[in-house]
Amino acid sequence: MRIVLGVGGGIAAYKVASLLRLFTEAEHEVTVIPTEAATRFVGVATWEALSGNPVSNSVFDAVESVNHVRLGHEADLIVVAPATADLLARAAAGQAGDLLTTTLLMAHGPVLFAPAMHTEMWQHAATQANVETLRSRGVTVLEPASGRLTGADSGPGRLPEPEVIFAAALALAEAAQAAEENPSPRTSLAGRSVTISAGGTREALDPVRFLGNRSSGKQGVALAAAALEAGATVRFIAAHMDIEPPAGVELVRVESALELREAALDAAVDSDVVIMAAAVADFRPAAVSDTKIKKVDGEDAPVIQLVRNPDILQELVERRNTHGGRQLVVGFAAETGDAQGDVLEHATAKLKRKGCDLLVVNQVGVGRVFGQDENSVVILSGHGAQPQPAAGSKADVAAAVMDRVASELTQHFPVA
Ligand code: CTP
């Protein structure tokens, strides 16, 4: 694959040398285009030596080969890392003052930005508006990682690890190639907006402790990828997850069930589909201590009293029903089966109780489903269709769920 690697002028430019190595070791042909500012952090010679190709940042070098047109046209993928606030602004405005920005304007293939900057710069309304503009044009802008930044500050703004950018870039290129080979995918959610909740909620006990669960968020991320591939716009409500949220979604981060409830009800107002894949705690501590709960010698261990959390899925169904009903609500159920009934009996009862349109049923036990890459489910329909088993990787299961979502939508809520 021919890759253009644009490098912005930030300290994280040095980490991009590792990203370049990952691309070249996977036998991709990489042309590096640093901005003028980037060459102050890492010199042209480094990029030339690591890529094995000449490096320039000026449209006036190699004029005879019309580099700024050729590079953009020929690239199967353009990756920009670190994408600084300045570079995002220039790309969003369509400026063409150097070789990288002209190449971006000539891009024929997918484009991925991996931002890195100080938290205030990332969260500034101007930067967020630029990111939104780029995303609305089909450009993928990764969320920056959180952690220690260049100075004493820390927060969102770190360049995602080279392996994360590498994986996202290859997935993007693969999806673009698949779309080119099969322009009308079997499942179409074009023009539909899908909200997906994922991960596990954390219910605070005190400033350092919480009640949590083993959900990794992997199935939710796979669902988001499948929905994006089917052409939907995706809002992703991420509770605690072991992996990065997917690229190309509108991301809302939450911690507790109550925060997730608010985000889900808010997003549901203009969603065609709401998928509750998050593992929501049914209970939370009745009281949250403002200070760390201390052990006191000679005193009994504290008893933690729990109260019920609202059932978000049920509330979504109730709101949908009172607001005209043109929305598909999908629940997930984790069941073990017991003396009262097997997994399917419990799940069928849950589908009726919660009133959702589809219920994706997992059989769980220690070491099963949570954190694993493989999954096996049965998709139950509240509209009379036969239970449908689906198994394989979490991506396979997500594709099966999205197929069912698309067909139930077409049947019950065709586009007006
Ligand atoms: N769910 C929710 N709000 C809650 C609990 C769960 O919206 N407070 C959603 C989950 O996201 C999932 C579905 O409900 O889509 C099923 O969750 P599960 O925990 O399996 O079922 P419960 O409702 O907790 O029922 P039970 O405790 O009887 O298993």
Side-chain angles (χ1 to χ4, degrees):
M1 184 158 65
R2 267 175 297 207
I3 299 174
V4 164
L5 179 58
V7 185
I11 183 65
Y14 79 93
K15 284 197 192 166
V16 176
S18 310
L19 176 62
L20 172 55
R21 287 297 290 269
L22 291 173
F23 284 136
T24 54
E25 275 164 18
E27 301 195 344
H28 298 297
E29 183 67 27
V30 186
T31 301
V32 180
I33 311 182
T35 61
E36 177 70 36
T39 60
R40 294 184 177 223
F41 291 97
V42 180
V44 166
T46 303
W47 301 123
E48 288 193 333
L50 290 178
S51 70
N53 281 316
V55 169
S56 160
N57 53 36
S58 163
V59 282
F60 298 107
D61 289 338
V63 174
E64 76 291 349
S65 65
V66 205
N67 249 354
H68 66 291
V69 173
R70 188 180 58 83
L71 289 168
H73 264 189
E74 288 180 359
D76 299 304
L77 171 69
I78 301 182
V79 178
V80 181
T84 57
D86 175 66
L87 202 42
L88 289 168
R90 291 196 287 132
Q95 286 188 13
D98 60 10
L99 186 58
L100 180 54
T101 45
T102 44
T103 302
L104 284 168
L105 286 181
M106 295 304 299
H108 276 199
V111 177
L112 177 129
F113 281 79
M117 64 197 75
H118 288 281
T119 304
E120 289 89 337
M121 294 173 84
W122 170 250
Q123 289 174 343
H124 195 284
T127 306
Q128 288 300 310
N130 291 329
V131 168
E132 207 167 299
T133 302
L134 289 166
R135 283 181 178 158
S136 72
R137 294 187 193 135
V139 169
T140 300
V141 183
L142 295 182
E143 288 293 316
S146 270
R148 184 78 200 276
L149 301 171
T150 330
D153 53 342
S154 67
R158 274 169 69 92
L159 185 72
E161 288 306 314
E163 292 75 16
V164 172
I165 305 174
F166 178 71
L170 292 198
L172 184 64
E174 260 170 44
Q177 195 177 346
E180 202 171 303
E181 282 162 13
N182 180 15
S184 53
R186 195 163 43 112
T187 299
S188 178
L189 290 172
R192 305 285 198 173
S193 80
V194 177
T195 291
I196 298 169
S197 73
T201 62
R202 288 179 161 186
E203 309 298 320
L205 271 164
D206 69 14
V208 290
R209 302 187 184 92
F210 57 84
L211 298 179
N213 61 65
R214 293 178 197 268
S215 175
S216 66
K218 285 181 181 169
Q219 186 63 71
V221 169
L223 286 164
L228 286 171
E229 198 177 323
T233 54
V234 178
R235 250 178 253 167
F236 193 80
I237 304 174
H240 174 77
M241 307 209 304
D242 293 342
I243 57 169
E244 287 292 311
V249 299
E250 189 185 313
L251 179 70
V252 184
R253 286 194 189 267
V254 297
E255 190 162 292
S256 63
L258 292 181
E259 283 174 22
L260 198 152
R261 172 182 173 271
E262 204 176 310
L265 293 179
D266 193 36
V269 170
D270 56 1
S271 293
D272 297 300
V273 184
V274 183
I275 303 178
M276 284 292 295
V280 184
D282 287 322
F283 304 98
R284 67 178 184 278
V288 184
S289 170
D290 291 340
T291 52
K292 191 179 167 204
I293 302 168
K294 306 284 273 183
K295 55 185 175 302
V296 181
D297 286 341
E299 275 189 19
D300 287 344
V303 174
I304 297 165
Q305 190 174 358
L306 301 176
V307 290
R308 280 285 290 268
N309 270 328
D311 188 321
I312 306 165
L313 184 61
Q314 212 158 1
E315 220 171 318
L316 285 164
V317 169
E318 282 160 15
R319 291 225 181 163
R320 184 273 306 273
N321 292 345
T322 47
H323 288 89
R326 292 180 65 84
Q327 182 180 67
L328 201 79
V329 181
V330 183
F332 269 68
E335 299 289 348
T336 56
D338 56 21
Q340 273 69 52
D342 65 17
V343 169
L344 264 193
E345 286 165 344
H346 278 302
T348 308
K350 191 175 285 181
L351 174 71
K352 285 220 175 70
R353 201 168 59 239
K354 299 216 177 196
C356 51
D357 301 282
L358 293 175
L359 189 70
V360 183
V361 187
N362 276 308
Q363 187 174 1
V364 288
V366 175
R368 292 185 72 158
V369 182
F370 288 130
Q372 304 292 302
D373 292 324
E374 298 284 305
N375 203 355
S376 165
V377 302
V378 177
I379 307 170
L380 299 185
S381 167
H383 300 282
Q386 284 300 309
Q388 181 196 336
S393 67
K394 288 192 170 176
D396 294 333
V397 168
V401 171
M402 248 10 110
D403 269 358
R404 273 309 283 277
V405 163
S407 78
E408 299 255 346
L409 265 184
T410 321
Q411 259 173 286
H412 304 293
F413 315 121
V415 178

